[in-house]
Structures are given as C-alpha cells and as structure tokens.
Amino acid sequence: MVRRFTLLFALSALAVGIAVAPRHLVSRTQTDPDFTHFESSHVHPAVLTPDGTRLLVVSTPDNHLTVFDLTTPTPERIAEIPVGLEPVSVAARSNTEAWVVNHLSDNVSIVDLTTKHVKATLRVGDEPSDIVFAGPSEHAYVSVSQEDAIRVYDSTTLGLVTTIPVAGRMPRALAKNAAGTLVFAAIFNAGNRTTVLTAAEVADSIPDDPDFPRDINNKHGHIAPPDVGGIVQYLAFGGEGAGWYDEYGKLWSSKVKYTMPDADVSEINTTTNTVSRNFSGLGSVNYNVAVAPDGRLVSVGTEGRNQLRFEPKLRGYLVDTRISYVTPAGTLSQRLLNPHINYTVTPGPQAEVDSALGIPTAVAFSSNNQRVYVTAFSNNRLAVLNPGAGANQILARVPTIRGPSGMVLDEPRGRIYVVGRFHNQLQTLSSDSLVSLHVTRIGFDPTPDAIVNGRKFFYGGSTSGHGDQACASCHIFGDMDNLAWDLGDPFAEYIDPPVSNPLGLEGFDPQKGPMTTQTLRGMTNTEPLHWRGDRVNLSAFNGAFVSLMGRSAQLPDSEMTAFNDFAMPLANPPNPHRFLDNTLPDYAGAPSPADGETFFLNTPISGSNRCVDCHSLPAGTNRVMVPDSLLFEDQDLKVPQLRNLYRKTGFTDETGASSKRGTGFTHDGAIDNLFNFLRLPQFSFNPDTGIAHPARRDVAAFLMAFPTGTAPAVGVQVTFDGASNPEGASRVDTLRSQFAAGNIDVIAKGRVGTQPRGWEYLGGDAWQPDKASASNLTTAQLLALATDPAHAVTVTGVPRGSGHRMGNDRDRDSYRDGDELDAGSLSGDPLSTPLNVAVGDGVEGARNGLERVSPNPFKQRAEVLFTLARAAAVDVVVYDVLGREVRDLAHGRRFEAGRWSVEWNGRRNDGGEAGVGMYFVRMRTETGTWVRPLVRIR
C-alpha cells in the first residue's frame, strides 16, 4: 500500500514538475489585457457596522464592497457590491449605509446595505483616501490627497459644508476621538525638514566625507567629482542654535530663506472645522493613525534617513520604522518598531529578519488602552504592543496572510480581522491566543499572477539585510516619497562613456549628488532608467539589493524577473488638470494649458529644437542622454519623462514662505516650480519678454496637465436615481464619445427589481446586458431603469479592454454575470458556472475540489483552500515525497457546503518542525481524491 501511494505521488510530481509555480486563481493568465495595474494602497479597507453584525471590506482589484455576516462561526460572505475604481477605505454611517472611498474614481460610493447596491455617488476631488463621520451633525470628513485638503459634507444632503486646507502634502488616513469633536489627518508625504541646495549655493563648501574619502585610484583618471548640490535639514537644536545644517554640522540658514512646518498630523476641530494644531516629528511618511479611548493619538510611519550622504552609510538602513504617541496635551513620545536590529552589522542575522516589522500600514488601540496592534505590510505580521512599556513594548509578532493592509478589532467576539492585500484575503485571528481561525477570499481577484507573485520582491523585507526595508520603503506603493537622496559612493568605480560617443558624454561618476526619488509608474518604453540613465533597464538595479538594501547577494534571475513583472505594468492615474474629454483648458486672463501645448509642439526654444523634440510623446522623453554642457550641469542626464509633474507640487523657496515640501522639480528637486525651471538659460522663449513671460507660463500650465497615459475619463462615475440629472446625462455622452475615440470602455451597474444587473457599452448607443437572452438597450432605455434610489444606475468609465470583464463577465469564465445569477452559480468565482452549479447550497462554491495551497512555496504557514458542493466528511493530510504522513489537518471532519480552508503551520504530527523540501497535500471525500504539491523553503 505504501509503494502504491508513493507511486501515486511520484506520478503527481512528474505531472506538475518539481518547480511548481504558485497560482492565484485558476482563471487568471500572466498577461490579462483586461486589467490595469494601479496598485492603489489601502487606508481603512475594513470596518464593522455599528451593531457589530456585519464586516465591510473593500475588494480593491475587483472594485467591489464585500459584506461579511459575523453572526456565523466564521465570517460568511453574503454580498459583493460593485462600487468605484480602486476602493481603498470604507466607513459605516449606520447599519444600513456605508460610504466607500474610491481612490481612482475621485468619489465616494454611498451603498445601501439593505438593497445591496450603490444609491448615490459623491464627487469629492482628486484621489481621495479616507473618510470618517464626526462632529455635532455627523458630517463626512474626506481626505482629498492631491488637493491637500479635508472636504466636509453633509451626510444627509451630500452638500459640501466646507473645505479645510492642511499644511502638508497628501493628507491620507483619518481618525477621530471618542466624542467626535476632533478629527486627525495623517499627512502621507510629510517629509522630514530636509531640503536641497543647488551646486551654485554649495560652491564646494561641502567637504569630502572623512569616513568615506574619495578613492581616486578607481576612477580611471577621472579624479574630480562633479559639482553637485547638497542636502540640509532643519534642526531645532543645532550646534549654533536652530537652523539648517548639513550632516557635518555646517550651518546653511543664510541660503534657506523659507520655513518648513513639518505637519505630520493635523488636528481638526469639528465645531469650527479648522485646523487647531499640527503635530511634527512623527515621520516623513505617515501611513495611519488611530485614537485611544483615553484620547491618545497613535501614528505609524517611517522616517527617511536621507540627510546622510552616500550609499554606504545607508546600506540596509534607509528608514526608521516608528510608532508615535501624542497625548491630548500634545506631548510626543516615540518608539522604534525594530529595537532589536543592530544596523552596524549588515546583513544582520536571520533572527533579525524573522522578527522585523516594515511598512506599518494599520494601527488600532484596544478598548482598555492597554494594547496597540500594528500590521507590518513587508513582513506579513501583526505586532502586539504594550504602549506603556517603553522600548520593550512589543509583546508578540504574529504571522498573518500576505500583505496585511488593514485590520479590525472585534473585541466582543474575541476576533481580529486582517485584510491581506496581496491575495485579496480576509483572515480571522483569535484576539486571546492570536491563532489563525479562518482565512477566506474577499472576492474575485482579477490581478494577473505575474503581478501577484512579484509583489513580495517589491514590498518584502526579505529583500533587505535586516528584514525591515524594501524597495517600497522609498518608492511608496510604486510611487515616490518626495525626498532627495545622495546615494553616491566615493569607493565605487567610474563608468566610462560609450566607445561611440558623438554627443561627447562624460560617463558616470560614482558621486552624483542629491537625486529625488522617481516614480516606478509608467516605466515601460522609457529606458534607460535613473535620472542619469545609468541603468539600461529595471533588472540592472539588482546590484542595489546588495549595495543599498544590504543583502548578501543579488536576487536570483527568477526573482528579479518577478520583480519586473510587478513593477513594469504600474500605471499612472489620470491627470486631474485635463477635461473629461481629454482636452485642455484655455483660460481667459490666466496661463493657458492649451496654448502651452501648441507652443510645446511647435516652437523652437533651444536652437532649432522644440520642447517635443526631446520630451517626445507619449511619455515626454526621447530616452536620449544629454551632455552636461547643454544642461549647464556638471554631469550628463537623461531626458526625463513628464507624466507625473503635477504630483511634485508643494515646494516653494520664496523668502519667508512656508513650504510643504523640501524638493520640487529637476533631478535634484532644487527648483520649486515649472515656470522657474523654464527661466533657465538653456531655454529661449523669444520674444517672450517682460515680467509676465506669458509663453513660459502657458508651457508650465501645459506641463502640469501633461497626459499620464491613463485617460481622464477612467474612473469617472455618474449615478442616476430617477431625479432629473441633465449634467449627468451630458457626462455619459462624453464617456460614450471617449469610448468612440478608443480611450476608455464604459459599463453600467444597477438593479432591476431585486436583482443586481450589469451592462457593457458596445458603441452605437448599444448597451449589452449581462444576460445572453436579453436585448441590447439604448442609453435612454438604460437610464430609464433608474426610477428611484433603490434602483439607481451607475455609469462608469473604465480602462480600455476591461469593459467586458467589469460590465458583464466579472470572473472571466465566459458566462455573463446575470446568467450566472439566474442559474444559481457565482459570478465572482470561475469554478462556479451554470454547467457545474451544485444542486444543493453552493453559496461559497460550485463543486468538490482542492482549489489551491498558498503561498507556495511557503516558509511558516500555508493555507489549503477547498470547495464542497454539498456537506461532506473531509480528510486533509500532508505527506512527504515517500508517501509518509507528516500532518493530519482534518480527519473525517464534517464541513457544510461552501469554500473552506485549513492551515498547516509547518509542524509534524509529533509537534516537531517539518524540514525544507517538497510535500503533497491530499484532500479526500467520499466522492473523490485531490492532490497538490507544496514546497517549503527556508
């Protein structure tokens, strides 16, 4: 019998291959053309309803809100409601109404939890991030990140009450005190009071570093470093008093005539709706905030160490990971979340990596003020802290599902719910034992496997020497930290220019001076990379995992390929400065982006060269290196792409000004606005003379509206509820015209009778329904279905190519969503179709089967997910390659119909640790047997 069982496993291994690639969902391919990779970050992705009976969780990749019933032994998914694009936060206004913040759609979906559909859509501004209900009238406070403001709305009439500006760039997470009298806004890109001096301002006054003298023997005769600027930081207690200092203690206040308030968290009085206090010194990137029942504010974030010069000083230690407490009186105390790490030895021992906490995405206080919980996105951990224990505050580091981005404490039930961004999962932990009780999917995840599998190499702490740093520590969720870093290395080699060198390029000196963090969005077809163009492609950065991140070795080629597969598809959001139809404004009496575009495309400004000759469309770069002599710089630079210029605002170097940021435009961030950039001597705007400089101002306005590669109509939504809505009808006409122009697809979601329905726009005023037997509708017929809020219809512009999936066939199984609903199968499950739908209760699945084992390979814990069409007794057993039983996970245990999971913690039946190697998981019921391979790695 043993020999027969061994042979069975051997044949299984031969069939699947030894190197088994993990799958995320069986219907997904590596190159799905119907998915756009925005990677919007969760803020508060889950919330309990006030009565505690429901858990609401955003399903970001599928643009849904999922409702879980908590009155059952484990959370049971009872509804999935389509909302806007890239939902990142949800708040429950009542037991019957939820507000979902849609980051890409620039709006809030107001969801009726009784009818389970969107009854209204509230436009709030560019890239909203979070929402709380607070104040005497329970108004809705919405953080609008790209407008540096908190917008306040009447939660009943949906009217705008006021707009509250904040003194920092990109307000993100919100929290309120118990009384609702104060709202706290965490500033995402808060900075750390560092700024940049130009090479002219520095004028050789920054010395060679005494600890890192320049190694002239490795420069092939190129001895002099380039003239570059320097980074200075405002210190309240410097050597000569408060002022701007470099890291060597030299005072530079005579060169910096502006102030930087460093507003990390803004406190808003909900009676006056004004900012009452700003708290500084918390972090340069502030991910989340919470308020304890006793009124203490807690914030989690990271502090960039960019004031230090040269890569060797920063190796394995670019940021501090912090938790900050602020008392009601305003007293600040801070703790490091990694006090166990010795950064003087890099790479560190495995014990450091195994305990590290990186990218703290969520934080929550217990009701008794005695515990604080923090999720570590980089390390798949939940940290449990005693806030009164000083440096030894960390009580436990609990393994979680991958990419823990949010959590909810359910203290009456003794549960903690953790949202896993990597695989769109929900985990239930016991708040007493901290043991994992249950893992289930939040909803269908259309993300391609290549992106899912590459996330761990972008966010994962294992890519660094101590386990707490990652590429995402600076390239925040694929974007920027808006800091300048001097990552030169005086010990490194000088790189000679190309042999064929008609432009007279100088080559790359290892000392390069301050450079601002660049976005990873929209990199495709913009190579070479880096400001200096010194990396031919993304794979050429592999050396940085050793020299900067502190690993002992570069990533293997397979892992670097996975990293590429995650990063290269990253897409920019739409530019908010363009009209819905992708045209540009032409303002009377103000700089005109439309006139600026005409100038950009047609008028020479540098000899015979037009702007577009170097900054070629569509990305704004011709990918050419420009000699330093033409740039009035001391090193060659690549023509940079222009798609994200509008996100670099907030810096001003005017005398006496208050600057939100310390960097702006160009490679070192030393220029505060585009108009001043266009005044550089290499640009001739003749006959643009006088004080006004109208042509320069027009071009600057156009650059702020430069197309990002994502049409402005993507994400735009209009909801019809039976009331007259001529503006909405006009917007739908514009969406249809954008479809005809090939810029977007258009879908609609609504409710006919009591049934949710969807439509895909085909053009020619034809809307295809989600039922094969139903006839196409005209726009008038579609909107006529919206008779009242209970039957509202929401029309949405979506990325080109995704209309069929998002409108009619959500799970890509070739069956339309409405037909699946009629047949009793699941529109969000590719395993459930009208052909195989179970006769019995198939709420969570459609047929018996072992769906997947993940993660695979795994280190500490693996989830075994299986589906039952009917209630059955189930055996789930782990075997080794010789067919010997290693662990019995379920033995004759009876499960009801649905989707279930059990977990293997890597231990044998005798309690010992199972070794590294290949295993097999066998699921068996009375109707069949299923086997899946599983690999454990160190």
Side-chain angles (χ1 to χ4, degrees):
M1 180 66 181
V2 172
R3 289 182 59 193
R4 181 183 177 188
F5 200 45
T6 302
L7 179 61
L8 171 64
F9 276 122
L11 292 173
S12 299
L14 181 63
V16 299
I18 295 299
V20 180
R23 293 290 296 169
H24 190 196
L25 264 182
V26 295
S27 69
R28 184 179 298 112
T29 66
Q30 296 291 330
T31 55
D32 292 309
D34 62 3
F35 180 85
T36 302
H37 182 29
F38 292 111
E39 196 69 6
S40 298
S41 59
H42 284 168
V43 183
H44 284 116
V47 70
L48 293 172
T49 54
D51 62 8
T53 63
R54 300 287 186 268
L55 178 69
L56 313 178
V57 188
V58 296
S59 182
T60 303
D62 196 30
N63 310 300
H64 277 67
L65 174 69
T66 301
V67 182
F68 288 93
D69 183 1
L70 299 181
T71 63
T72 52
T74 57
E76 180 180 341
R77 190 173 57 255
I78 59 174
E80 296 177 73
I81 304 163
V83 289
L85 269 57
E86 301 289 300
V88 296
S89 291
V90 58
R93 184 182 173 222
S94 68
N95 294 321
T96 60
E97 184 176 292
W99 289 40
V100 179
V101 178
N102 304 306
H103 193 66
L104 196 79
S105 283
D106 300 339
N107 64 26
V108 173
S109 296
I110 300 171
V111 178
D112 187 325
L113 297 175
T114 302
T115 59
K116 298 181 176 61
H117 87 298
V118 172
K119 64 180 182 180
T121 300
L122 177 64
R123 282 185 279 163
V124 296
D126 191 39
E127 297 186 17
S129 293
D130 204 7
I131 183 173
V132 295
F133 296 99
S137 302
E138 282 293 294
H139 288 330
Y141 290 74
V142 181
S143 58
V144 185
S145 65
Q146 287 303 318
E147 299 182 20
D148 296 349
I150 310 299
R151 290 230 162 91
V152 186
Y153 294 90
D154 186 305
S155 54
T156 301
T157 67
L158 308 187
L160 177 65
V161 176
T162 190
T163 297
I164 306 170
V166 295
R169 190 71 179 88
M170 294 177 64
R172 188 174 187 259
L174 301 176
K176 64 177 180 178
N177 64 357
T181 56
L182 298 174
V183 167
F184 299 92
I187 308 303
F188 197 35
N189 283 171
N192 55 2
R193 285 181 171 169
T194 57
T195 191
V196 177
L197 300 177
T198 66
E201 289 173 319
V202 170
D204 299 323
S205 295
I206 293 183
D208 285 343
D209 193 289
D211 296 322
F212 294 90
R214 184 174 174 85
D215 185 358
I216 63 173
N217 296 320
N218 288 334
K219 302 300 175 293
H220 305 292
H222 186 92
I223 297 176
D227 293 331
V228 297
I231 297 173
V232 297
Q233 184 174 34
Y234 185 84
L235 300 177
F237 300 101
E240 301 178 49
W244 295 92
Y245 291 86
D246 63 26
E247 69 164 304
Y248 308 106
K250 181 178 175 61
L251 183 65
W252 292 90
S253 296
S254 62
K255 301 292 185 181
V256 185
K257 299 298 186 179
Y258 47 90
T259 62
M260 198 176 299
D262 189 33
D264 296 334
V265 174
S266 295
E267 177 191 88
I268 296 170
N269 183 309
T270 59
T271 300
T272 62
N273 280 331
T274 58
V275 174
S276 47
R277 288 186 292 182
N278 286 306
F279 303 111
S280 63
L282 280 66
S284 56
V285 176
N286 299 289
Y287 287 94
N288 224 312
V289 286
V291 181
D294 63 9
R296 277 179 295 172
L297 171 73
V298 59
S299 171
V300 288
T302 56
E303 176 77 355
R305 303 178 72 240
N306 63 307
Q307 76 278 10
L308 299 179
R309 187 178 176 214
F310 299 142
E311 184 179 64
K313 293 180 185 175
L314 294 161
R315 183 170 182 251
Y317 189 15
L318 287 93
V319 301
D320 274 321
T321 306
R322 296 177 170 180
I323 184 167
S324 303
Y325 303 96
V326 182
T327 68
T331 302
L332 169 66
S333 61
Q334 287 184 321
R335 303 287 184 270
L336 295 178
L337 286 176
N338 295 292
H340 66 291
I341 292 180
N342 176 12
Y343 291 105
T344 63
V345 179
T346 301
Q350 189 62 39
E352 285 185 348
V353 177
D354 291 342
S355 301
L357 302 171
I359 307 185
T361 45
V363 61
F365 251 102
S366 64
S367 60
N368 64 5
N369 302 298
Q370 300 303 306
R371 293 291 180 267
V372 175
Y373 301 86
V374 179
T375 56
F377 196 71
S378 286
N379 314 94
N380 310 318
R381 295 188 181 109
L382 175 70
V384 184
L385 290 75
N386 178 353
N392 299 317
Q393 62 177 335
I394 301 178
L395 304 175
R397 298 173 178 88
V398 184
T400 67
I401 51 180
R402 289 187 176 274
S405 57
M407 66 177 153
V408 172
L409 304 184
D410 186 357
E411 292 180 309
R413 291 185 177 83
R415 297 175 178 175
I416 303 172
Y417 307 108
V418 178
V419 177
R421 180 70 170 92
F422 282 18
H423 296 289
N424 206 34
Q425 294 173 311
L426 178 72
Q427 180 179 33
T428 305
L429 300 172
S430 165
S431 59
D432 294 326
S433 66
L434 300 176
V435 169
S436 179
L437 303 175
H438 185 251
V439 176
T440 188
R441 65 188 180 99
I442 296 170
F444 177 67
D445 187 350
T447 313
D449 281 343
I451 292 173
V452 173
N453 295 333
R455 275 192 177 118
K456 57 180 171 287
F457 303 112
F458 178 67
Y459 294 107
S462 62
T463 61
S464 64
H466 300 284
D468 62 326
Q469 317 277 305
C471 295
S473 298
C474 296
H475 297 282
I476 314 294
F477 298 106
D479 201 19
M480 309 172 291
D481 60 6
N482 283 283
L483 296 174
W485 299 79
D486 188 341
L487 300 179
D489 182 357
F491 295 157
E493 293 282 345
Y494 173 81
I495 300 175
D496 291 313
V499 175
S500 176
N501 191 12
L503 296 178
L505 301 176
E506 287 192 346
F508 304 117
D509 192 277
Q511 288 185 229
K512 53 188 175 182
M515 301 275 178
T516 58
T517 304
Q518 290 186 296
T519 185
L520 301 187
R521 295 171 175 172
M523 289 189 295
T524 301
N525 297 322
T526 65
E527 302 91 341
L529 304 175
H530 253 181
W531 285 106
R532 302 197 303 173
D534 53 6
R535 298 291 186 271
V536 295
N537 53 34
L538 193 60
S539 294
F541 285 91
N542 202 339
F545 286 104
V546 176
S547 63
L548 183 59
M549 302 304 295
R551 278 173 55 97
S552 59
Q554 295 184 16
L555 296 185
D557 289 346
S558 59
E559 295 182 0
M560 197 64 205
T561 298
F563 184 96
N564 271 269
D565 290 343
F566 167 83
M568 293 307 292
L570 282 164
N572 287 290
N575 190 310
H577 301 294
R578 302 180 74 89
F579 286 140
L580 186 60
D581 63 359
N582 207 24
T583 60
L584 291 167
D586 188 6
Y587 304 115
S592 168
D595 289 347
E597 180 182 41
T598 300
F599 189 102
F600 182 93
L601 296 174
N602 299 291
T603 306
I605 64 166
S606 180
S608 61
N609 293 315
R610 305 163 299 169
C611 299
V612 73
D613 292 328
C614 292
H615 294 284
S616 307
L617 302 177
T621 176
N622 62 1
R623 304 164 62 175
V624 169
M625 295 295 301
V626 182
D628 60 351
S629 59
L630 297 181
L631 295 170
F632 296 89
E633 292 280 347
D634 201 25
Q635 53 188 332
D636 308 328
L637 296 170
K638 189 195 88 169
V639 176
Q641 59 92 12
L642 303 178
R643 285 176 163 172
N644 69 335
L645 294 179
Y646 76 96
R647 304 176 72 85
K648 296 188 175 186
T649 58
F651 175 47
T652 177
D653 61 4
E654 295 292 329
T655 300
S658 176
S659 185
K660 296 179 180 179
R661 282 180 173 167
T663 61
F665 300 93
T666 69
H667 64 286
D668 58 7
I671 297 181
D672 62 343
N673 62 64
L674 291 171
F675 172 71
N676 284 337
F677 169 72
L678 294 171
R679 296 176 67 185
L680 294 177
Q682 56 262 49
F683 304 123
S684 174
F685 277 75
N686 293 331
D688 188 36
T689 58
I691 297 176
H693 299 283
R696 283 185 173 87
R697 297 186 188 278
D698 289 346
V699 172
F702 166 66
L703 294 176
M704 289 296 290
F706 197 88
T708 66
T710 300
V714 169
V716 169
Q717 293 191 295
V718 185
T719 296
F720 298 87
D721 61 3
S724 176
N725 190 354
E727 179 187 2
S730 176
R731 289 172 71 84
V732 170
D733 288 343
T734 302
L735 294 179
R736 290 169 54 207
S737 70
Q738 284 295 288
F739 172 89
N743 292 331
I744 63 169
D745 284 352
V746 188
I747 66 168
K749 295 291 182 179
R751 190 165 175 264
V752 178
T754 59
Q755 191 178 68
R757 296 292 304 279
W759 297 266
E760 172 193 0
Y761 186 63
L762 303 178
D765 200 26
W767 296 81
Q768 183 186 71
D770 60 359
K771 295 186 179 184
S773 61
S775 300
N776 293 345
L777 300 180
T778 65
T779 302
Q781 290 170 330
L782 174 70
L783 300 186
L785 297 175
T787 56
D788 53 56
H791 298 88
V793 171
T794 299
V795 178
T796 307
V798 300
R800 192 69 169 182
S802 62
H804 183 66
R805 173 179 64 82
M806 297 176 68
N808 275 350
D809 183 13
R810 176 183 167 206
D811 58 10
R812 306 189 183 109
D813 62 1
S814 77
Y815 295 94
R816 299 187 198 179
D817 298 341
D819 289 334
E820 293 217 56
L821 188 62
D822 288 343
S825 59
L826 300 176
S827 64
D829 186 347
L831 299 178
S832 173
T833 73
L835 287 183
N836 63 26
V837 62
V839 175
D841 181 9
V843 172
E844 289 289 319
R847 60 183 181 186
N848 290 334
L850 180 55
E851 284 191 34
R852 68 174 182 266
V853 183
S854 67
N856 190 5
F858 83 109
K859 290 184 179 180
Q860 295 177 317
R861 295 177 184 273
E863 177 199 17
V864 181
L865 185 67
F866 59 91
T867 303
L868 297 175
R870 296 181 178 86
V874 178
D875 291 333
V876 181
V877 182
V878 179
Y879 294 89
D880 64 17
V881 293
L882 297 179
R884 298 173 298 193
E885 180 177 308
V886 176
R887 182 66 181 270
D888 185 353
L889 301 177
H891 183 68
R893 178 180 167 188
R894 185 173 180 81
F895 291 83
E896 297 300 319
R899 179 177 278 110
W900 298 93
S901 68
V902 293
E903 186 180 85
W904 184 33
N905 62 2
R907 296 192 175 274
R908 304 187 302 266
N909 283 332
D910 63 6
E913 194 77 24
V916 172
M918 173 165 280
Y919 297 87
F920 295 89
V921 178
R922 186 190 72 179
M923 169 194 170
R924 184 166 61 185
T925 70
E926 62 182 4
T927 61
T929 300
W930 298 263
V931 177
R932 289 289 177 91
L934 175 63
V935 177
R936 189 172 197 192
I937 58 177
R938 191 175 304 279

